[in-house]
Amino acid sequence: MQKLEELYQWQEARLKKKKLEKKIKNLPEKYELAQRESEAQAVETEHEKGREMVAELSRELKRKEDQAAKVENQRKNYEKKLYQGETQTAKELEQLQMKVTQIQKEEARLEEEILEAMMHLDEAREEEEKTAEKLKNERNRNEAVKKEYEGEKEELEKEVVGLEKEISRLEEVVEDPLKQKCLALAERTGLRGVVPVEGSSCGGCKVGLSAYILEQVKGGKEIVTCESCSRMLFLSSK
Ligand SMILES: [Zn+2]
């Protein structure tokens, strides 16, 4: 009695294992991991730019405020001189007055620039916060997807380990020449070298089997192959 049923189980376990391994290999693509990561990185770059912008505008505002403080001091000094009225000619007074007026103009200009800089800074901060939020959401979503991916991968890998055990077990049960024959037939005919009889047809090519062949398969004494596709045939006990 040839152990064709076990040979068939061995073949099926190997095919299933191959299929699962392919599925595992394609998992990162299925979950679009690389694409998600590059999208998150793009948002991160955007966020980094936003932060730089905020820092730059903060520095600019500080520069203008320092400048305004400096100019205010200058004006106060001139005003002090002007109102102390120490030994000053009318011409000197006039010059001092002119300087004060000039500085006041500059102060007004700086004031306007400061307001504008504050506005820009506020806008940049708002934008930066938005991008930070977007980045957080993106990262969280990717984390969840990655977890899902790892969960599925783990399941599939467990299944592969189970199949490997099954394959090793059957490896012991079926003799090598039969396995070699099966592999050679599979190579020639497609996926399978051994197939069950389905009704009165070949389970591989689906062609009807002659009564003689069917009788021989039932006898189970020797290896019978399909006249049409050459695959080995057996009667499934299930
Ligand atoms: Zn066939």
Side-chain angles (χ1 to χ4, degrees):
M1 185 83 179
Q2 302 286 352
K3 289 179 170 160
L4 289 180
E5 181 139 25
E6 286 84 352
L7 179 67
Y8 179 73
Q9 286 164 0
W10 172 76
Q11 167 189 268
E12 294 308 301
R14 280 168 54 101
L15 287 175
K16 193 165 180 201
K17 186 187 160 208
K18 226 185 239 175
K19 209 169 152 187
L20 286 179
E21 282 167 343
K22 196 174 166 197
K23 201 170 170 188
I24 291 171
K25 206 178 135 216
N26 288 334
L27 271 187
E29 205 174 318
K30 179 187 167 192
Y31 285 94
E32 298 176 322
L33 293 183
Q35 195 187 330
R36 283 173 196 284
E37 182 50 32
S38 87
E39 274 167 16
Q41 263 168 17
V43 178
E44 198 165 310
T45 306
E46 194 187 333
H47 181 233
E48 200 47 52
K49 270 189 196 157
R51 280 168 50 137
E52 276 165 19
M53 179 67 103
V54 167
E56 169 64 28
L57 289 173
S58 296
R59 282 195 296 270
E60 199 183 314
L61 179 60
K62 175 82 168 50
R63 268 201 304 273
K64 287 189 191 299
E65 280 170 346
D66 288 350
Q67 177 71 10
K70 204 172 119 195
V71 168
E72 189 187 3
N73 257 338
Q74 279 176 355
R75 175 175 52 79
K76 279 181 177 161
N77 280 338
Y78 283 130
E79 279 174 348
K80 219 161 137 193
K81 273 189 200 163
L82 189 62
Y83 298 121
Q84 270 171 356
E86 277 174 12
T87 60
Q88 279 162 345
T89 62
K91 194 168 176 181
E92 277 173 339
L93 281 173
E94 196 187 335
Q95 270 174 349
L96 270 177
Q97 185 61 60
M98 262 171 65
K99 271 183 183 155
V100 167
T101 309
Q102 209 176 19
I103 288 174
Q104 278 170 339
K105 267 188 202 160
E106 199 183 343
E107 279 184 290
R109 182 180 62 80
L110 276 169
E111 190 64 29
E112 219 162 284
E113 282 180 11
I114 285 169
L115 281 176
E116 204 172 326
M118 278 173 163
M119 230 167 61
H120 284 157
L121 182 57
D122 278 351
E123 279 166 11
R125 279 198 176 122
E126 217 171 287
E127 200 56 43
E128 193 258 347
E129 271 168 33
K130 262 192 236 164
T131 324
E133 183 70 18
K134 195 171 152 193
L135 181 62
K136 203 178 94 188
N137 289 339
E138 192 107 354
R139 287 275 180 229
N140 284 345
R141 199 167 51 234
N142 284 2
E143 204 59 41
V145 169
K146 208 169 171 204
K147 233 178 214 171
E148 213 181 309
Y149 154 77
E150 273 160 5
E152 187 172 355
K153 187 167 171 243
E154 205 182 62
E155 281 302 309
L156 292 173
E157 280 168 350
K158 253 188 233 164
E159 237 180 294
V160 168
V161 169
L163 284 169
E164 275 167 352
K165 275 186 198 152
E166 177 74 352
I167 291 166
S168 309
R169 185 184 71 79
L170 292 162
E171 200 91 34
E172 301 289 314
V173 177
V174 187
E175 310 99 77
D176 283 339
L178 199 53
K179 282 181 288 197
Q180 296 311 323
K181 187 175 164 71
C182 180
L183 290 177
L185 275 169
E187 182 85 16
R188 228 172 48 221
T189 59
L191 284 178
R192 293 171 167 87
V194 58
V195 291
V197 172
E198 286 173 0
S200 58
S201 302
C202 165
C205 67
K206 315 292 176 194
V207 167
L209 300 164
S210 69
Y212 173 72
I213 293 281
L214 280 172
E215 211 47 51
Q216 271 192 316
V217 176
K218 274 176 200 155
K221 287 203 179 73
E222 54 202 299
I223 291 175
V224 184
T225 55
C226 169
E227 287 169 310
S228 169
C229 71
S230 323
R231 289 183 177 100
M232 293 183 274
L233 296 165
F234 74 101
L235 273 182
S236 174
S237 59
K238 282 165 199 163

